[in-house]
Amino acid sequence: MKYLWILRHGKAASKNSGGDDHSRPLTARGRRQSAEVATFVADRVASGAPAPDIVVSSSAARARATAEPVHAVLGAGVPLDIEPSLYGADADDVVDRLRLLADDIDAVMIVGHNPTFHELALLLVSPDDAPGRARLEAGFPTAALALVALDIPAWAALAAGSGCLEELFVPVR
């Protein structure tokens, strides 16, 4: 069994705020959302959820700013990998990246963008998980975090429909 934490970045400044898209920062709301996600992850890990062995984030400023508070609660022993290929990736690209993970990694958190991350969650959650799919089909707003349990022995075996949604957290702030 492997576990994937899929985290969409928090609320970002508008595209018209100046600068390029890659550099857009989080808004104050996005920073609050990121802090709320970090608290949620810390609480869930403390209560027995599988802690990510690594955090892999898009290189976009808004994704990194969302990943950093969560990474901080996981501790210095958990690497934070900034992955430029996640910026602009589609769901299949993300699956290909995840398939490269070492088999001794049991849980990973990825941080990035919609629509890709919503599509990724829908791709991985089995059609047999009707409640999980229904929750995901309702949307994947900013700073949404999906925990997907994957019925696979190794990351190279990651495939569509191989997972079950264990949790979907959406910050209220």
Side-chain angles (χ1 to χ4, degrees):
M1 185 73 66
K2 301 291 185 188
Y3 295 90
L4 179 61
W5 299 76
I6 303 170
L7 176 57
R8 180 183 175 194
H9 67 74
K11 180 72 175 166
S14 73
K15 292 181 182 180
N16 299 329
S17 63
D20 67 355
D21 182 67
H22 192 266
S23 302
R24 286 194 299 136
L26 293 178
T27 63
R29 177 179 171 208
R31 290 188 299 276
R32 287 191 305 273
Q33 289 173 325
S34 298
E36 193 173 336
V37 169
T39 299
F40 172 80
V41 169
D43 291 346
R44 287 293 289 126
V45 167
S47 67
D53 299 308
I54 185 171
V55 177
V56 181
S57 175
S58 162
S59 59
R62 59 195 179 273
R64 289 191 329 263
T66 301
E68 288 165 356
V70 176
H71 177 253
V73 302
L74 295 172
V78 175
L80 173 59
D81 182 12
I82 304 301
E83 183 68 50
S85 68
L86 288 180
Y87 178 75
D90 65 22
D92 290 331
D93 295 332
V94 178
V95 169
D96 288 344
R97 170 60 179 91
L98 292 169
R99 286 181 180 143
L100 299 175
L101 291 169
D103 289 336
D104 63 343
I105 294 173
D106 292 321
V108 63
M109 178 179 286
I110 55 171
V111 185
H113 313 275
N114 258 6
T116 297
F117 276 34
H118 187 208
E119 292 166 358
L120 176 67
L122 287 167
L123 175 72
L124 294 177
V125 172
S126 170
D128 294 337
D129 180 6
R133 291 194 64 80
R135 289 199 66 207
L136 288 169
E137 287 168 359
F140 205 72
T142 56
L145 174 65
L147 174 56
V148 180
L150 300 161
D151 190 16
I152 56 172
W155 290 104
L158 185 62
S162 59
C164 176
L165 183 68
E166 286 209 349
E167 189 131 21
L168 179 61
F169 174 74
V170 178
V172 295
R173 300 178 197 209

